[in-house]
Amino acid sequence: MIASFDLSLLHRPLLDWYDTHARDLPWRNPPGAPRPIDPNWPYRVWLSEVMLQQTTVAAVKPYFAKFTQTWPSVFDLAAAPDEEVMAAWAGLGYYSRARNLVKCSREVAKRGGFPTTEKALRELPGLGAYTAASIAAIAFGERAVVVDANVERVISRLFLIVEPLPAARKTIRAHADRITPHERTGDFAQAMMDLGSQVCTTKAPRCLLCPVREDCQARANGDPQALPVKPAKKAKPERKGTAFWIERGEGEGAEVWLVQREGTGMLGGMRALPDDGWTARKDGSGAEPLSGDWEDLGAVRHTFSHAHLTLQVKRARTDAAPTGEGKWWPLHEWEEAGLPTVFAKAAALAMAQRPDGVD
Ligand code: SF4
Protein backbone atom coordinates (compact mmCIF):
# COMPACT_ATOMS: atom_id res chain seq x y z
CA MET A 1 0.00 0.00 0.00
CA ILE A 2 1.31 3.47 -0.89
CA ALA A 3 -0.27 4.82 2.30
CA SER A 4 2.12 2.73 4.37
CA PHE A 5 5.32 4.17 2.84
CA ASP A 6 4.78 7.27 0.70
CA LEU A 7 1.60 9.31 0.87
CA SER A 8 3.12 11.94 -1.38
CA LEU A 9 2.63 9.54 -4.32
CA LEU A 10 -1.08 8.97 -3.84
CA HIS A 11 -1.99 11.81 -6.20
CA ARG A 12 -0.40 10.03 -9.18
CA PRO A 13 -2.99 7.30 -9.79
CA LEU A 14 -5.69 9.87 -9.09
CA LEU A 15 -4.40 12.32 -11.69
CA ASP A 16 -3.93 9.50 -14.22
CA TRP A 17 -7.54 8.50 -13.63
CA TYR A 18 -8.67 12.14 -13.91
CA ASP A 19 -6.87 12.52 -17.25
CA THR A 20 -9.26 10.00 -18.81
CA HIS A 21 -12.36 10.25 -16.59
CA ALA A 22 -12.75 13.96 -15.81
CA ARG A 23 -16.29 15.21 -16.13
CA ASP A 24 -16.79 17.61 -19.02
CA LEU A 25 -18.35 20.65 -17.32
CA PRO A 26 -18.92 24.14 -18.75
CA TRP A 27 -16.78 25.77 -16.03
CA ARG A 28 -13.91 23.31 -16.37
CA ASN A 29 -10.53 23.49 -18.06
CA PRO A 30 -9.61 20.09 -19.61
CA PRO A 31 -7.26 17.98 -17.44
CA GLY A 32 -3.58 18.80 -17.84
CA ALA A 33 -4.28 21.86 -20.05
CA PRO A 34 -2.52 25.13 -19.21
CA ARG A 35 -4.68 27.56 -17.29
CA PRO A 36 -6.75 29.69 -19.70
CA ILE A 37 -5.55 33.24 -20.27
CA ASP A 38 -9.19 34.38 -20.46
CA PRO A 39 -9.45 37.16 -17.83
CA ASN A 40 -12.95 35.90 -16.96
CA TRP A 41 -11.71 32.44 -16.01
CA PRO A 42 -11.52 33.13 -12.22
CA TYR A 43 -15.02 34.61 -12.43
CA ARG A 44 -16.37 31.42 -14.02
CA VAL A 45 -14.64 29.25 -11.42
CA TRP A 46 -15.96 31.40 -8.57
CA LEU A 47 -19.50 31.50 -9.98
CA SER A 48 -19.62 27.72 -10.43
CA GLU A 49 -18.26 27.06 -6.95
CA VAL A 50 -20.84 29.34 -5.32
CA MET A 51 -23.67 27.77 -7.34
CA LEU A 52 -22.52 24.21 -6.59
CA GLN A 53 -22.72 24.66 -2.81
CA GLN A 54 -25.50 22.30 -1.63
CA THR A 55 -26.71 22.03 -5.24
CA THR A 56 -26.29 19.36 -7.90
CA VAL A 57 -24.32 19.78 -11.13
CA ALA A 58 -27.49 19.12 -13.17
CA ALA A 59 -29.37 21.91 -11.38
CA VAL A 60 -26.47 24.36 -11.70
CA LYS A 61 -25.75 23.97 -15.44
CA PRO A 62 -28.67 26.06 -16.82
CA TYR A 63 -28.13 28.77 -14.19
CA PHE A 64 -24.43 28.93 -14.96
CA ALA A 65 -25.23 29.31 -18.67
CA LYS A 66 -27.83 32.03 -17.98
CA PHE A 67 -25.53 34.01 -15.66
CA THR A 68 -22.48 33.88 -17.92
CA GLN A 69 -24.55 34.86 -20.97
CA THR A 70 -26.24 37.75 -19.14
CA TRP A 71 -23.15 38.86 -17.20
CA PRO A 72 -20.01 37.55 -18.99
CA SER A 73 -17.61 39.17 -16.49
CA VAL A 74 -17.54 39.93 -12.78
CA PHE A 75 -17.72 43.62 -13.71
CA ASP A 76 -20.99 43.05 -15.60
CA LEU A 77 -22.42 41.21 -12.61
CA ALA A 78 -21.26 43.93 -10.22
CA ALA A 79 -23.09 46.55 -12.31
CA ALA A 80 -26.37 44.59 -12.44
CA PRO A 81 -29.33 45.74 -10.29
CA ASP A 82 -29.81 43.54 -7.20
CA GLU A 83 -33.35 42.53 -8.15
CA GLU A 84 -32.25 41.27 -11.58
CA VAL A 85 -29.58 39.03 -10.05
CA MET A 86 -31.98 37.76 -7.38
CA ALA A 87 -34.62 37.01 -10.02
CA ALA A 88 -32.07 35.15 -12.16
CA TRP A 89 -31.13 33.07 -9.11
CA ALA A 90 -34.77 32.15 -8.35
CA GLY A 91 -35.25 28.40 -8.10
CA LEU A 92 -31.63 27.61 -7.19
CA GLY A 93 -32.32 27.98 -3.45
CA TYR A 94 -30.15 29.11 -0.53
CA TYR A 95 -30.74 32.71 -1.50
CA SER A 96 -28.14 34.15 0.85
CA ARG A 97 -25.67 32.89 -1.77
CA ALA A 98 -27.14 35.26 -4.35
CA ARG A 99 -26.98 38.21 -1.96
CA ASN A 100 -23.34 37.38 -1.20
CA LEU A 101 -22.66 36.93 -4.91
CA VAL A 102 -23.75 40.51 -5.55
CA LYS A 103 -21.73 41.87 -2.61
CA CYS A 104 -18.65 39.88 -3.57
CA SER A 105 -18.79 40.85 -7.25
CA ARG A 106 -18.86 44.54 -6.28
CA GLU A 107 -15.87 44.16 -3.99
CA VAL A 108 -13.94 42.30 -6.73
CA ALA A 109 -14.86 44.97 -9.30
CA LYS A 110 -13.67 47.67 -6.87
CA ARG A 111 -10.32 45.86 -6.57
CA GLY A 112 -10.04 45.54 -10.36
CA GLY A 113 -10.29 41.73 -10.37
CA PHE A 114 -10.04 38.64 -8.17
CA PRO A 115 -7.14 38.37 -5.73
CA THR A 116 -4.94 35.42 -6.62
CA THR A 117 -4.15 33.77 -3.27
CA GLU A 118 -6.28 31.72 -0.90
CA LYS A 119 -5.50 34.12 1.94
CA ALA A 120 -6.59 37.21 -0.01
CA LEU A 121 -9.65 35.44 -1.43
CA ARG A 122 -10.82 34.70 2.12
CA GLU A 123 -11.14 38.46 2.68
CA LEU A 124 -13.89 38.77 0.08
CA PRO A 125 -17.44 38.98 1.46
CA GLY A 126 -19.24 35.63 1.67
CA LEU A 127 -16.26 33.57 0.55
CA GLY A 128 -15.69 30.65 2.94
CA ALA A 129 -12.65 28.42 3.40
CA TYR A 130 -13.72 25.86 0.81
CA THR A 131 -14.53 28.37 -1.95
CA ALA A 132 -11.34 30.36 -1.38
CA ALA A 133 -9.22 27.19 -1.52
CA SER A 134 -10.94 25.88 -4.64
CA ILE A 135 -10.61 29.18 -6.56
CA ALA A 136 -6.95 29.50 -5.49
CA ALA A 137 -6.21 25.96 -6.69
CA ILE A 138 -8.37 25.78 -9.82
CA ALA A 139 -8.16 29.34 -11.15
CA PHE A 140 -4.67 30.33 -9.96
CA GLY A 141 -2.80 27.04 -9.51
CA GLU A 142 -1.91 27.76 -5.89
CA ARG A 143 -1.39 24.72 -3.68
CA ALA A 144 -4.50 24.82 -1.49
CA VAL A 145 -6.25 22.06 0.45
CA VAL A 146 -9.72 21.75 -1.03
CA VAL A 147 -12.24 19.78 1.05
CA ASP A 148 -15.89 19.61 0.04
CA ALA A 149 -18.41 16.88 1.00
CA ASN A 150 -17.15 14.59 -1.79
CA VAL A 151 -13.53 14.95 -0.71
CA GLU A 152 -14.56 14.48 2.91
CA ARG A 153 -16.07 11.13 2.00
CA VAL A 154 -13.08 9.93 -0.02
CA ILE A 155 -10.58 10.90 2.69
CA SER A 156 -12.67 9.34 5.49
CA ARG A 157 -12.63 6.07 3.60
CA LEU A 158 -9.05 6.14 2.35
CA PHE A 159 -7.76 6.69 5.89
CA LEU A 160 -10.51 4.87 7.79
CA ILE A 161 -11.51 7.90 9.85
CA VAL A 162 -14.23 6.63 12.17
CA GLU A 163 -14.63 9.75 14.29
CA PRO A 164 -18.10 11.21 13.56
CA LEU A 165 -18.60 14.47 11.64
CA PRO A 166 -18.34 17.35 12.25
CA ALA A 167 -15.59 16.64 14.84
CA ALA A 168 -13.67 14.59 12.25
CA ARG A 169 -13.18 17.59 9.94
CA LYS A 170 -9.85 18.59 11.46
CA THR A 171 -8.42 15.08 10.96
CA ILE A 172 -9.88 14.87 7.44
CA ARG A 173 -8.31 18.15 6.48
CA ALA A 174 -4.93 17.10 7.88
CA HIS A 175 -5.02 13.95 5.76
CA ALA A 176 -6.14 15.88 2.68
CA ASP A 177 -3.19 18.22 3.25
CA ARG A 178 -0.78 15.25 3.35
CA ILE A 179 -1.83 13.99 -0.08
CA THR A 180 -2.29 17.34 -1.89
CA PRO A 181 0.52 17.73 -4.45
CA HIS A 182 2.40 20.91 -5.36
CA GLU A 183 1.83 20.39 -9.09
CA ARG A 184 -1.54 20.28 -10.87
CA THR A 185 -3.21 21.25 -7.64
CA GLY A 186 -6.42 22.39 -9.40
CA ASP A 187 -6.67 19.12 -11.32
CA PHE A 188 -6.04 17.21 -8.11
CA ALA A 189 -8.88 19.05 -6.32
CA GLN A 190 -11.24 18.32 -9.21
CA ALA A 191 -10.06 14.70 -9.43
CA MET A 192 -10.97 14.20 -5.77
CA MET A 193 -14.37 15.83 -6.33
CA ASP A 194 -15.04 13.65 -9.37
CA LEU A 195 -13.90 10.50 -7.59
CA GLY A 196 -16.31 11.30 -4.75
CA SER A 197 -19.26 12.02 -7.02
CA GLN A 198 -18.70 9.28 -9.63
CA VAL A 199 -16.96 6.37 -7.89
CA CYS A 200 -16.69 6.81 -4.14
CA THR A 201 -20.41 7.49 -3.86
CA THR A 202 -22.37 7.79 -0.63
CA LYS A 203 -24.11 4.49 -1.26
CA ALA A 204 -22.55 1.46 -2.95
CA PRO A 205 -19.10 2.90 -3.79
CA ARG A 206 -17.68 1.37 -6.98
CA CYS A 207 -14.39 0.30 -5.45
CA LEU A 208 -13.44 -1.98 -8.36
CA LEU A 209 -13.20 1.10 -10.61
CA CYS A 210 -11.31 3.20 -8.10
CA PRO A 211 -7.74 4.29 -8.92
CA VAL A 212 -6.71 4.27 -5.24
CA ARG A 213 -8.43 1.05 -4.21
CA GLU A 214 -5.15 -0.67 -3.32
CA ASP A 215 -4.44 2.05 -0.77
CA CYS A 216 -7.92 2.37 0.69
CA GLN A 217 -8.19 1.33 4.29
CA ALA A 218 -12.01 1.31 4.41
CA ARG A 219 -12.11 -1.02 1.42
CA ALA A 220 -9.63 -3.32 3.14
CA ASN A 221 -11.78 -3.13 6.23
CA GLY A 222 -14.83 -4.27 4.25
CA ASP A 223 -17.43 -1.55 4.89
CA PRO A 224 -16.56 1.75 3.15
CA GLN A 225 -20.20 2.76 2.89
CA ALA A 226 -20.34 3.22 6.67
CA LEU A 227 -18.00 6.23 6.37
CA PRO A 228 -17.99 9.08 7.01
CA VAL A 229 -19.92 8.69 10.26
CA LYS A 230 -22.63 11.35 10.25
CA PRO A 231 -24.53 12.75 13.22
CA ALA A 232 -28.18 11.60 13.50
CA LYS A 233 -30.50 13.88 11.51
CA LYS A 234 -32.94 15.98 13.52
CA ALA A 235 -36.59 15.87 12.42
CA LYS A 236 -37.50 19.09 10.61
CA PRO A 237 -40.18 21.23 12.28
CA GLU A 238 -43.52 21.82 10.53
CA ARG A 239 -44.40 25.46 9.81
CA LYS A 240 -47.54 27.15 8.51
CA GLY A 241 -48.05 30.33 6.55
CA THR A 242 -50.28 32.05 4.01
CA ALA A 243 -49.45 33.63 0.64
CA PHE A 244 -51.80 36.13 -0.96
CA TRP A 245 -52.61 36.25 -4.65
CA ILE A 246 -53.98 39.72 -5.36
CA GLU A 247 -55.24 40.35 -8.85
CA ARG A 248 -56.64 43.20 -10.91
CA GLY A 249 -57.74 43.57 -14.54
CA GLU A 250 -59.08 41.07 -17.03
CA GLY A 251 -57.80 38.84 -19.83
CA GLU A 252 -54.44 39.90 -21.33
CA GLY A 253 -54.41 42.98 -19.07
CA ALA A 254 -54.71 41.01 -15.83
CA GLU A 255 -51.97 41.62 -13.24
CA VAL A 256 -50.82 40.22 -9.92
CA TRP A 257 -49.33 42.16 -6.99
CA LEU A 258 -45.74 41.19 -6.21
CA VAL A 259 -43.51 42.48 -3.42
CA GLN A 260 -39.74 42.62 -2.90
CA ARG A 261 -38.82 40.85 0.34
CA GLU A 262 -36.67 42.53 2.98
CA GLY A 263 -32.96 42.32 2.21
CA THR A 264 -31.45 39.94 4.75
CA GLY A 265 -34.02 37.53 6.21
CA MET A 266 -35.50 34.34 4.81
CA LEU A 267 -35.64 34.61 0.97
CA GLY A 268 -34.40 38.18 1.49
CA GLY A 269 -34.21 40.40 -1.58
CA MET A 270 -36.37 38.05 -3.64
CA ARG A 271 -39.50 39.03 -5.53
CA ALA A 272 -42.46 37.25 -3.92
CA LEU A 273 -46.18 37.11 -3.25
CA PRO A 274 -47.27 39.07 -0.18
CA ASP A 275 -47.52 36.77 2.85
CA ASP A 276 -48.60 36.75 6.47
CA GLY A 277 -45.14 37.07 7.99
CA TRP A 278 -44.14 33.41 8.15
CA THR A 279 -40.52 32.49 8.12
CA ALA A 280 -39.06 29.02 8.33
CA ARG A 281 -38.69 29.56 12.07
CA LYS A 282 -42.19 30.72 13.00
CA ASP A 283 -45.76 30.35 11.79
CA GLY A 284 -47.48 33.22 10.03
CA SER A 285 -50.35 35.21 11.52
CA GLY A 286 -52.80 34.34 8.74
CA ALA A 287 -53.80 38.03 8.62
CA GLU A 288 -54.86 39.28 5.19
CA PRO A 289 -53.07 42.34 3.76
CA LEU A 290 -56.30 44.08 2.68
CA SER A 291 -59.99 43.72 3.34
CA GLY A 292 -62.06 42.05 0.67
CA ASP A 293 -63.51 38.75 -0.41
CA TRP A 294 -60.74 36.22 0.06
CA GLU A 295 -61.04 32.87 -1.60
CA ASP A 296 -59.14 29.89 -0.23
CA LEU A 297 -57.30 28.13 -3.09
CA GLY A 298 -55.76 25.30 -1.07
CA ALA A 299 -52.16 24.82 0.06
CA VAL A 300 -48.71 23.96 -1.29
CA ARG A 301 -45.92 22.14 0.55
CA HIS A 302 -42.30 23.13 0.48
CA THR A 303 -39.26 21.79 2.29
CA PHE A 304 -36.44 24.13 3.24
CA SER A 305 -33.10 22.96 4.59
CA HIS A 306 -34.38 23.35 8.15
CA ALA A 307 -38.22 23.13 8.05
CA HIS A 308 -41.26 21.87 6.17
CA LEU A 309 -43.78 24.55 5.27
CA THR A 310 -47.49 24.26 4.48
CA LEU A 311 -48.38 27.45 2.65
CA GLN A 312 -52.06 28.28 2.32
CA VAL A 313 -52.89 30.32 -0.79
CA LYS A 314 -55.69 32.92 -0.79
CA ARG A 315 -56.92 35.00 -3.67
CA ALA A 316 -58.67 38.38 -3.85
CA ARG A 317 -59.42 40.96 -6.52
CA THR A 318 -58.92 44.68 -6.02
CA ASP A 319 -58.61 47.84 -8.06
CA ALA A 320 -56.67 49.66 -5.35
CA ALA A 321 -52.91 49.16 -4.89
CA PRO A 322 -52.29 47.18 -1.69
CA THR A 323 -50.28 49.02 0.99
CA GLY A 324 -46.51 48.60 1.18
CA GLU A 325 -43.76 48.26 -1.44
CA GLY A 326 -44.67 46.25 -4.51
CA LYS A 327 -45.63 46.33 -8.15
CA TRP A 328 -48.31 45.01 -10.49
CA TRP A 329 -46.90 42.28 -12.70
CA PRO A 330 -48.54 41.00 -15.94
CA LEU A 331 -50.24 37.73 -15.13
CA HIS A 332 -49.26 36.04 -18.37
CA GLU A 333 -45.60 36.76 -17.55
CA TRP A 334 -45.63 35.50 -13.97
CA GLU A 335 -43.06 32.80 -14.74
CA GLU A 336 -40.53 35.51 -15.67
CA ALA A 337 -40.90 37.26 -12.30
CA GLY A 338 -38.11 35.18 -10.74
CA LEU A 339 -40.16 33.92 -7.79
CA PRO A 340 -38.34 31.54 -5.45
CA THR A 341 -39.66 27.98 -5.64
CA VAL A 342 -42.07 28.16 -2.71
CA PHE A 343 -43.86 31.20 -4.20
CA ALA A 344 -43.68 29.77 -7.71
CA LYS A 345 -45.61 26.75 -6.37
CA ALA A 346 -48.22 29.07 -4.82
CA ALA A 347 -48.47 31.06 -8.08
CA ALA A 348 -48.89 27.89 -10.12
CA LEU A 349 -51.73 26.82 -7.82
CA ALA A 350 -53.43 30.19 -8.22
CA MET A 351 -52.99 30.20 -12.01
CA ALA A 352 -54.40 26.69 -12.31
CA GLN A 353 -57.58 27.88 -10.59
CA ARG A 354 -58.24 31.04 -12.58
CA PRO A 355 -61.79 31.05 -13.91
CA ASP A 356 -60.79 32.43 -17.35
CA GLY A 357 -57.82 30.07 -17.63
CA VAL A 358 -55.36 32.89 -18.57
CA ASP A 359 -51.77 31.72 -18.21
FE1 SF4 B 1 -13.87 4.99 -2.08
FE2 SF4 B 1 -13.82 2.37 -2.62
FE3 SF4 B 1 -12.01 4.04 -3.67
FE4 SF4 B 1 -11.96 3.47 -1.11
S1 SF4 B 1 -11.65 2.05 -2.79
S2 SF4 B 1 -11.70 5.51 -2.01
S3 SF4 B 1 -14.12 3.35 -0.63
S4 SF4 B 1 -14.24 4.02 -4.06
Side-chain angles (χ1 to χ4, degrees):
M1 295 185 357
I2 290 173
S4 63
F5 61 90
D6 196 351
L7 278 173
S8 66
L9 298 180
L10 200 65
H11 64 277
R12 289 191 182 162
L14 256 168
L15 286 171
D16 287 348
W17 174 83
Y18 183 68
D19 285 343
T20 50
H21 291 85
R23 284 177 292 174
D24 183 12
L25 300 172
W27 47 84
R28 278 260 177 104
N29 193 28
R35 278 198 307 286
I37 48 170
D38 177 359
N40 294 321
W41 170 244
Y43 166 63
R44 293 171 70 84
V45 173
W46 164 70
L47 186 62
S48 68
E49 288 297 346
V50 174
M51 287 183 165
L52 286 164
Q53 289 162 16
Q54 326 245 17
T55 311
T56 63
V57 164
V60 164
K61 276 183 177 174
Y63 283 87
F64 182 81
K66 179 167 64 176
F67 268 69
T68 49
Q69 274 158 21
T70 313
W71 302 294
S73 75
V74 71
F75 302 100
D76 297 320
L77 184 65
D82 290 23
E83 62 274 17
E84 278 183 27
V85 180
M86 300 306 287
W89 193 275
L92 203 51
Y94 297 96
Y95 294 96
S96 59
R97 290 183 297 171
R99 293 195 295 273
N100 284 332
L101 199 76
V102 172
K103 254 193 244 161
C104 185
S105 69
R106 289 178 187 159
E107 179 60 30
V108 171
K110 207 160 77 184
R111 293 174 182 219
F114 279 92
T116 60
T117 64
E118 181 182 7
K119 190 165 176 282
L121 285 159
R122 271 311 295 273
E123 290 165 11
L124 293 173
L127 226 92
Y130 163 74
T131 313
S134 61
I135 299 170
I138 297 167
F140 299 113
E142 187 188 23
R143 184 189 180 277
V145 181
V146 181
V147 184
D148 71 353
N150 282 317
V151 178
E152 216 163 68
R153 186 164 58 254
V154 174
I155 296 284
S156 302
R157 292 172 179 176
L158 263 175
F159 295 98
L160 197 65
I161 297 168
V162 296
E163 186 184 11
L165 291 172
R169 292 216 163 103
K170 212 171 154 196
T171 313
I172 291 172
R173 192 186 154 76
H175 280 88
D177 195 359
R178 289 166 73 199
I179 65 167
T180 299
H182 288 269
E183 299 298 320
R184 294 187 66 187
T185 185
D187 278 355
F188 176 77
Q190 291 172 114
M192 289 288 280
M193 292 172 195
D194 282 14
L195 188 74
S197 73
Q198 308 294 296
V199 177
C200 194
T201 42
T202 309
K203 290 188 183 145
R206 301 154 76 203
C207 299
L208 286 176
L209 304 177
C210 179
V212 291
R213 62 185 175 278
E214 296 303 322
D215 308 299
C216 179
Q217 297 179 36
R219 178 173 177 257
N221 205 44
D223 189 13
Q225 190 173 299
L227 297 176
V229 180
K230 294 192 175 157
K233 276 191 183 164
K234 281 191 210 152
K236 288 183 184 183
E238 289 283 341
R239 300 294 182 216
K240 287 184 184 147
T242 306
F244 300 102
W245 181 264
I246 304 169
E247 247 183 76
R248 73 173 185 187
E250 301 290 341
E252 286 296 304
E255 294 174 310
V256 60
W257 181 253
L258 299 180
V259 297
Q260 199 83 30
R261 290 178 66 85
E262 289 292 315
T264 53
M266 179 84 186
L267 305 175
M270 300 299 294
R271 202 170 280 138
L273 296 178
D275 64 54
D276 65 344
W278 63 268
T279 70
R281 299 194 195 287
K282 68 175 175 38
D283 291 346
S285 64
E288 291 142 0
L290 47 84
S291 56
D293 290 334
W294 286 95
E295 186 184 354
D296 202 338
L297 300 180
V300 294
R301 288 272 296 167
H302 189 72
T303 297
F304 294 101
S305 56
H306 46 283
H308 300 289
L309 174 73
T310 301
L311 188 63
Q312 211 63 34
V313 185
K314 289 186 173 182
R315 173 169 62 197
R317 290 189 60 82
T318 179
D319 286 327
T323 53
E325 288 287 309
K327 68 190 285 190
W328 291 107
W329 190 273
L331 215 58
H332 63 279
E333 289 176 7
W334 77 267
E335 283 168 303
E336 279 97 71
L339 299 175
T341 306
V342 61
F343 288 111
K345 287 180 183 175
L349 179 72
M351 289 302 293
Q353 296 189 37
R354 294 196 77 246
D356 61 5
V358 168
D359 64 19

